[in-house]
Structures are given as structure tokens and as C-alpha cells.
């Protein structure tokens, strides 16, 4: 219930104004978001790469209905990728891109505009020597997003896809994407969805995650196990052994600021671990989804406001 309320609030302009102006917000946001500028993102990346992590950088934002804004976001990614190339960080650092930030939600021609912008970002990644993973948003965008990933893969076969185990369709999508050279990030799903398309009970989302993991680990793809759930991490390790996968033929991914000690433990055992590092000014939607994932974060957030 609290999760759904927070996810609905993530769409509300009124709550956005309240949360972004609350004095206690910044300190908790700082746990999840490394900063607002490219240089802050680069600095955080250097630190993580120095600790043997791989990184995926996300320039925060969502759902633009303005074509000029979509083009500006595309250019921000291109500048970021150029900088990663210059600094020699591209081998360990890719980027994550939300198609809604580059035009997918535009009422006219959104699919094509998002594809064109994403293509420009992929070309910049190719020049820099790295890759792009296309984040997945709510279920209404899945067909368009997977179609765009498919088109991008014609020119940039390394383009990563994200699948959400909460959706009833996802096992079938995993089977479609479990082919050679296909990079697939498996997540549980961070959006409010109805029971007609998604499993309402968390236990069913978890079981579906395991079924999807089995398909991806058994396939010829490159699975990216994106979860902080200790059971999923353990099961992924067991499945990798069962299917004869060596470390490096799959990877773990976790969000910046969540279970950092587990991230370090996995690296110390020789696993490849990628940290998802968000930066930018438009942190509201991302922050609310992180609050929704863990009620304890909400208590901490409210206490930090009240104590001021
Ligand atoms: P679960 O929610 O069961 O959490 C397991 C444990 O992890 C918790 O008990 C707690 O200890 C810890 N934890 C989890 N979330 C926490 C939080 N916010 N604060 C503190 N502790 C927390 N989703 C999506 O829809 N599209 C996408 O493209 C992506 N991309 C993505 C990339 C990466 C690298 C990750 C790790 C996750 C995503 N997600 C995502 C988010 C994902 O769908 C999901 O909402 C979160 O990962 C939480 O689910 P878990 O699998 O971690 O398990």
C-alpha cells in the first residue's frame, strides 16, 4: 500500500514541489545520487573504478514532452560519453538511458524521435569504446522499448535491454532475448502496475525472477543480475555454476548507495559487479522509487525533515 502511494506520488507535481523543497531531502538524496554535475559523476566513477567496480552512469530525468528537452538530454549523454573516452574510463563504464528522456513519450512520432536520439547516443558510446543499456520504464512502454532495442542492435549489437520480472510477459521476453551477444539486465521492476499485467504479490515477483534467471543463465546471452536481494544473488551464483558460466560471462549490478558492503564482498570473490550511478538535477522520480522499495527509507526521510 505504502509502495503504491509513493509510486503514485512520484507522478504528482504537488508532491514533487513539497519533497524537492523539503530541507531534509538533500541529505537522503545524496545517499542514492552522486551529484548534479558531469564532473561529480566522473569523480564518483573514478572512485568506483579504483575499487575494481564496473559502472553504469544514468543522467537523471524522465518523461519529457518537449522535443528540445529530448535533444538536450541526448547531447548531455554524448558529452558524458566523450568525457569517459577522454579520461580512459570507457572500458569499465557504460551508460544507462531512459527512452522517455529522449522523446519516447512525445505525442507525435515519439518512437522515431527516441530511436534517432538513442542511435546518436549509441554512436557516441561506440566512438568512446563502451556500451549503452536501455532502462525499462512502465509496462505501457515495453513493446516500444524492446522494438527500439532491436533496431539499435542492428548497428550496435552490444545494446543492453532490461526486463522486469514483475510483468507476466517477461519469461517469454527472456526466451526471445537469451541469444548470443544479447546483454540483458534482469530487475524486479520499480513501477506501479496493475494485476492485469503484473504479479501483485512480491513473493510471485521473486519466483518469476528466479524463473527468468534460469532462462538467461541457461541461454547464450550475457545476463546482468540487477538485484540487492541476497536470495537472488545466491541463486544467480548457483545457476552460474550449474550452467558452467565463469565469472565475467555474467555480472551483478546494484544501485549506488544500496548494500555497498555486499557489492565489495562480491568483487572480492572475483565476481564482476557494476554499480548503477545516477547523477543530475532531476532526481525526484528516481528518489521516490528508492523510497518505495524500502519503508525504512521513508521513516528515515520523515525523521530527517521533522528533526530540522
Ligand atoms: P528487493 O526490493 O526485494 O530488495 C531486497 C533487499 O535489498 C531489501 O531487503 C533491502 O535490504 C535492499 N534494498 C532494496 N531496495 C532498497 C532501497 N531502495 N533502499 C535500501 N535498501 C534496499 N527497475 C526498473 O523498473 N527499470 C530499470 O531499468 C531498472 N534498472 C535497475 C538497475 C539496477 C542496477 C538495479 C539494481 C535495479 C534497477 N531497477 C530497475 C530497480 C529494480 O526494478 C528494483 O526496484 C530494485 O532493484 C529493488 O529490487 P531488489 O531486486 O533489489 O529486491
Amino acid at each position: 500500500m505504502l509502495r503504491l502511494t509513493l509510486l503514485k506520488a512520484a507522478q504528482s507535481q504537488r508532491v514533487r514541489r513539497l519533497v524537492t523543497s523539503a530541507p531534509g531531502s538533500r541529505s537522503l538524496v545524496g545517499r542514492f545520487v552522486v551529484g548534479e554535475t558531469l564532473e561529480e559523476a566522473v569523480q564518483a566513477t573514478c572512485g568506483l573504478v579504483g575499487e575494481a567496480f564496473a559502472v553504469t552512469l544514468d543522467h537523471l530525468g524522465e518523461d519529457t514532452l518537449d522535443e528540445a528537452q529530448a535533444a538536450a538530454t541526448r547531447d548531455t549523454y554524448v558529452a558524458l560519453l566523450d568525457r569517459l573516452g577522454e579520461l580512459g574510463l570507457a572500458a569499465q563504464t557504460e551508460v544507462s538511458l531512459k527512452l522517455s528522456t529522449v522523446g519516447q513519450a512525445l505525442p507525435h512520432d515519439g518512437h522515431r524521435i527516441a530511436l534517432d536520439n538513442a542511435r546518436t547516443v549509441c554512436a557516441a558510446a561506440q566512438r568512446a569504446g563502451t556500451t549503452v543499456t536501455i532502462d525499462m520504464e512502465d509496462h505501457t512502454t515495453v513493446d516500444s522499448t524492446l522494438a527500439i532495442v532491436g533496431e539499435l542492435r542492428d548497428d550496435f549489437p552490444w545494446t543492453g535491454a532490461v526486463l522486469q520480472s514483475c510483468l507476466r510477459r517477461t519469461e517469454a521476453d527472456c526466451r526471445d532475448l537469451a541469444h548470443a551477444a544479447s546483454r540483458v539486465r534482469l530487475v524486479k521492476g520499480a513501477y506501479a502496475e496493475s494485476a492485469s499485467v503484473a504479479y501483485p504479490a512480491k513473493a510471485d515477483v521473486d519466483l518469476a525472477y528466479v524463473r527468468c534467471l534460469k532462462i538467461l543463465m541457461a541461454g547464450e546471452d550475457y545476463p546482468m543480475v540487477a538485484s540487492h536481494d541476497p536470495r537472488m544473488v545466491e541463486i544467480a551464483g548457483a545457476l552460474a555454476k550449474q550452467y558452467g558460466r565463469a565469472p565475467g560471462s555474467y555480472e551483478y549490478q546494484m544501485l549506488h548507495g544500496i548494500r555497498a558492503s555486499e557489492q565489495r564482498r562480491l568483487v572480492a570473490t572475483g565476481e564482476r559487479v557494476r554499480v548503477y550511478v545516477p547523477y543530475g538535477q532531476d532526481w525526484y522520480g528516481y528518489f521516490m522509487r528508492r523510497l518505495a522499495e524500502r519503508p525504512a527509507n521513508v521513516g528515515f526521510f520523515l525523521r530527517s525533515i521533522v528533526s530540522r
Side-chain angles (χ1 to χ4, degrees), residues 1-9 192 200 292 295:
M1 189 60 164
L2 178 60
R3 176 176 182 268
L4 280 182
T5 308
L6 287 163
L7 290 175
K8 289 229 162 67

Coordinates of all heavy atoms in Angstrom, one line a residue, residues 1-9 192 200 292 295:
M1 N 0.8 -1.2 0.0 CA 0.0 0.0 0.0 C 0.9 1.3 0.0 O 0.7 2.2 -0.8 CB -0.9 0.0 1.3 CG -2.0 1.0 1.3 SD -3.0 0.9 -0.2 CE -4.4 1.9 0.3
L2 N 1.9 1.3 1.0 CA 2.8 2.4 1.0 C 3.6 2.6 -0.3 O 3.8 3.6 -0.8 CB 3.7 2.3 2.2 CG 4.7 3.4 2.4 CD1 4.1 4.7 2.7 CD2 5.7 3.0 3.6
R3 N 4.0 1.4 -0.8 CA 4.7 1.4 -2.0 C 3.9 2.0 -3.2 O 4.4 2.9 -3.9 CB 5.1 -0.1 -2.4 CG 5.8 -0.2 -3.7 CD 6.2 -1.6 -4.0 NE 7.0 -1.7 -5.3 CZ 6.4 -1.9 -6.4 NH1 5.1 -2.2 -6.5 NH2 7.1 -1.9 -7.5
L4 N 2.7 1.6 -3.3 CA 1.8 2.2 -4.4 C 1.6 3.7 -4.2 O 1.7 4.4 -5.1 CB 0.5 1.4 -4.4 CG 0.5 0.1 -5.1 CD1 -0.9 -0.5 -5.1 CD2 1.1 0.2 -6.5
T5 N 1.4 4.1 -2.9 CA 1.2 5.5 -2.7 C 2.4 6.3 -3.1 O 2.3 7.3 -3.7 CB 0.9 5.7 -1.1 OG1 -0.1 4.8 -0.8 CG2 0.5 7.2 -0.8
L6 N 3.6 5.8 -2.7 CA 4.8 6.5 -3.1 C 5.0 6.5 -4.6 O 5.5 7.5 -5.1 CB 6.0 5.9 -2.4 CG 6.1 6.2 -0.9 CD1 7.0 5.2 -0.2 CD2 6.5 7.6 -0.6
L7 N 4.7 5.4 -5.2 CA 4.9 5.4 -6.7 C 3.9 6.3 -7.4 O 4.3 6.9 -8.4 CB 4.8 3.9 -7.2 CG 5.9 3.0 -6.8 CD1 5.7 1.6 -7.2 CD2 7.3 3.5 -7.3
K8 N 2.7 6.4 -6.8 CA 1.8 7.4 -7.4 C 2.3 8.8 -7.2 O 2.2 9.7 -8.0 CB 0.4 7.2 -6.8 CG -0.3 6.0 -7.2 CD -1.7 6.2 -7.7 CE -2.3 5.1 -8.5 NZ -2.4 3.8 -7.8
A9 N 2.8 9.1 -6.0 CA 3.3 10.4 -5.6 C 4.5 10.8 -6.5 O 4.7 11.9 -6.8 CB 3.8 10.4 -4.2
A192 N 4.6 1.2 -10.5 CA 3.2 0.7 -10.1 C 2.5 0.1 -11.3 O 2.3 0.8 -12.3 CB 2.4 1.9 -9.5
P200 N 0.8 -9.1 -8.4 CA 0.6 -8.2 -7.3 C 1.4 -8.6 -6.1 O 1.8 -7.7 -5.3 CB -0.9 -8.3 -7.0 CG -1.5 -9.2 -8.0 CD -0.4 -9.9 -8.7
A292 N 10.1 4.0 -2.2 CA 9.0 3.0 -2.3 C 9.5 1.5 -2.1 O 8.8 0.7 -1.6 CB 8.4 3.1 -3.7
P295 N 10.4 0.7 3.1 CA 9.7 1.6 4.0 C 10.6 2.2 5.0 O 10.4 3.4 5.4 CB 8.7 0.6 4.7 CG 8.5 -0.5 3.8 CD 9.8 -0.7 3.0

